[in-house]
Amino acid sequence: MGFFDDEIAALKEKGLFRALPRTHPMTDGPVLNFCSNDYLGLAADPRLKAAAKAAVDRYGAGSGAARLISGNNALCDELETALADLKGAESALLFNSGYHANIGTIPALAGEGTVIFSDEWNHASLIDGCRLSKAETVVYRHHDLNELEARLQKTSKKKIIVTEAVFSMEGDVCPLDDLLNLAQKYGALVYLDEAHAVGVFGGDGEGLAPKNPPENLICMGTLGKAFGSYGAFVSGSRSLRDYLVNKARSFIFTTALPPAAAGASLEAVSIVRKERGRRQRLWDNVRRLGGKSPIRSVPIGPADQTMEVSRRLLAEGFYVQGIRPPTVPEGTSRLRLTASASHTPDQIESILRAIRSLCTF
């Protein structure tokens, strides 16, 4: 027996063993993809492909080093300027992924003299960022601002509220206005993870946060979801950017984004701002799917039943991955459906019919 065989056997017995999918819906069809975060259908857009190729031709396949060494290039600067303008913020700083952004920025902002207040349904990267910070972390019930206020009242230390804008497993939306008012009342910073909000919400796709955000609001957004590329950014004041360049370890000690990703992302930001009809198609499909965001959760319960429904849907031509612990709590496995601007109304209706035939929701 190998070192890991017992653990793998235990995962299989519980129905929690994961294996990389052998089907890719973009290349191995014909299947309809209803679990991608490509909300605006930009990942295969010819303009993004062309921009990525042009960036490779000019700068090469890789950046070669961290940005503080020799990995910086004009594309990074242009993309950060475009993202700051989209957000209505003074500046933005690129990270290699949302995970990198969260585990780098939160520990840079918080330390042993800080109390972090974290929504109980926050993404794993936010949880890990809180742990790495070594700050005291107080977990409050999901969206329970009364509990949050009661806990904020109990400390005079530096306070940071950490929350998602759109929660990645449920698809529900943070009550941001009330949260910002509460933060202002108690002198707290707010770190808002807009991974599933930028490109989707707002008049220009700026996300859930208001343009010209208050000083106590720091936003993180990703480029690998609605923008169809790869990477992430943190937006806020110029001093925040300077601070993170010097303090965020996941920025300092990481090779910069490859030029292809930066080039494609820059093109995507332009498309998102210009093509409002694309976001309108997405929101029409969100309503058809019955969600409050592009994510709709279909609860099933047991992990094995969830994966069986997922397999049967794939056999019918629908690619929908089941979500199991530890991503969600024990006994709450579910299908996570996502809408895209590239779906047609008939495709939305067909996936809903297929799920109704297999389970109640």
Side-chain angles (χ1 to χ4, degrees):
M1 296 285 286
F3 286 112
F4 311 110
D5 291 350
D6 288 344
E7 286 290 334
I8 291 173
L11 288 172
K12 289 180 176 178
E13 186 176 346
K14 294 176 183 177
L16 300 179
F17 180 75
R18 290 176 167 92
L20 293 174
R22 295 184 178 180
T23 300
H24 191 282
M26 192 178 290
T27 59
D28 299 336
V31 294
L32 288 174
N33 188 354
F34 275 95
C35 59
S36 169
N37 296 322
D38 182 22
Y39 299 128
L40 296 176
L42 287 173
D45 191 287
R47 292 168 292 181
L48 266 68
K49 294 180 184 180
K53 291 173 183 175
V56 169
D57 289 341
R58 183 175 182 184
Y59 294 104
S63 57
R67 286 180 70 190
L68 284 170
I69 301 177
S70 63
N72 200 33
N73 60 52
L75 275 177
C76 293
D77 297 332
E78 289 178 45
L79 179 54
E80 286 171 340
T81 299
L83 290 166
D85 186 61
L86 175 72
K87 295 293 294 175
E90 288 184 353
S91 69
L93 182 67
L94 289 173
F95 286 81
N96 282 21
S97 70
Y99 212 108
H100 278 85
N102 287 341
I103 65 170
T105 304
I106 295 172
L109 298 173
E112 293 181 354
T114 307
V115 181
I116 296 175
F117 300 86
S118 176
D119 189 291
E120 67 174 331
W121 288 3
N122 275 342
H123 188 266
S125 60
L126 293 171
I127 295 169
D128 288 351
C130 293
R131 289 171 175 166
L132 286 170
S133 74
K134 299 182 181 177
E136 177 187 351
T137 300
V138 175
V139 178
Y140 63 92
R141 286 187 296 272
H142 183 53
H143 289 341
D144 191 336
L145 299 191
N146 291 326
E147 181 189 1
L148 176 57
E149 181 169 20
R151 290 174 177 264
L152 284 166
Q153 290 173 339
K154 292 180 180 179
T155 182
S156 59
K157 294 181 179 179
K158 178 182 176 182
K159 296 176 276 288
I160 301 177
I161 301 168
V162 173
T163 184
E164 292 183 66
V166 176
F167 283 78
S168 58
M169 289 299 110
E170 292 292 335
D172 57 339
V173 178
C174 168
L176 184 59
D177 289 343
D178 291 338
L179 190 74
L180 288 173
N181 289 336
L182 202 58
Q184 186 70 33
K185 181 177 179 181
Y186 292 98
L189 285 174
V190 175
Y191 184 80
L192 183 68
D193 181 325
E194 292 196 283
H196 298 275
V198 290
V200 174
F201 288 81
D204 283 334
E206 67 270 16
L208 194 66
K211 284 203 170 187
N212 304 309
E215 289 184 6
N216 66 332
L217 177 61
I218 298 168
C219 296
M220 188 283 287
T222 54
L223 301 167
K225 296 180 173 62
F227 292 106
S229 181
Y230 183 73
F233 65 94
V234 172
S235 62
S237 66
R238 290 186 183 89
S239 58
L240 169 69
R241 184 183 188 278
D242 290 342
Y243 180 78
L244 293 177
V245 166
N246 286 274
K247 290 290 187 178
R249 292 170 65 85
S250 63
F251 171 84
I252 296 168
F253 300 108
T254 302
T255 299
L257 276 175
S265 296
L266 187 60
E267 180 67 18
V269 172
S270 175
I271 292 171
V272 168
R273 299 193 74 168
K274 288 187 297 187
E275 297 184 1
R276 295 193 172 198
R278 186 180 291 268
R279 288 198 308 283
Q280 184 59 54
R281 292 198 301 276
L282 169 64
W283 281 103
D284 288 344
N285 285 339
V286 167
R287 285 186 283 274
R288 292 184 181 102
L289 200 61
K292 296 179 181 178
S293 75
I295 302 165
R296 181 174 179 186
S297 181
V298 179
I300 295 178
D304 55 351
Q305 291 182 21
T306 301
M307 298 314 295
E308 177 58 26
V309 173
S310 176
R311 284 189 288 270
R312 292 176 67 179
L313 286 170
L314 183 59
E316 294 186 29
F318 302 103
Y319 191 65
V320 184
Q321 280 287 5
I323 307 297
R324 297 167 286 170
T327 307
V328 294
E330 202 74 44
T332 68
S333 295
R334 79 280 306 269
L335 300 177
R336 178 183 175 275
L337 294 175
T338 54
S340 170
S342 61
H343 291 139
T344 68
D346 286 346
Q347 288 170 345
I348 298 283
E349 289 303 316
S350 65
I351 183 67
L352 292 176
R353 283 196 302 271
I355 294 175
R356 289 190 189 101
S357 72
L358 296 172
C359 60
T360 302
F361 76 106

